[in-house]
Amino acid sequence: MAFTPLNALNEFLAVARRRSFASAASELGISPSALSQAVPPAGAKLGVTLLSRTTRSVALTAAEGALSSKRVQR
């Protein structure tokens, strides 16, 4: 899958919505491995970590929360 800003945003939003790389990958029709490799570079381009991951969960970080609140205020 080619990297574009819209692809990265769509992939990140799917993971954030589902709180699961496997579920988001299924929704997007790609492998969990490909999704796992695609999402971190999107945050790196912004200079922040957007997701906190463990072996069993995915959570949004404070940086994502701040990003979301800025979108709402506009």
Side-chain angles (χ1 to χ4, degrees):
M1 175 181 277
F3 176 79
T4 66
L6 291 179
N7 283 347
L9 180 59
N10 190 42
E11 291 162 348
F12 166 72
L13 290 174
V15 173
R17 183 174 46 254
R18 300 277 187 158
R19 301 287 202 269
S20 164
F21 275 81
S23 180
S26 178
E27 174 186 329
L28 296 169
I30 61 175
S31 72
S33 176
L35 182 59
S36 181
Q37 292 176 13
V39 171
K45 286 192 173 275
L46 297 172
V48 296
T49 301
L50 298 173
L51 299 169
S52 174
R53 297 175 66 182
T54 69
T55 56
R56 297 203 175 255
S57 69
V58 176
L60 302 175
T61 64
E64 196 286 328
L67 184 63
S68 293
S69 66
K70 287 181 182 181
R71 285 191 305 235
V72 171
Q73 291 175 355
R74 288 185 184 180

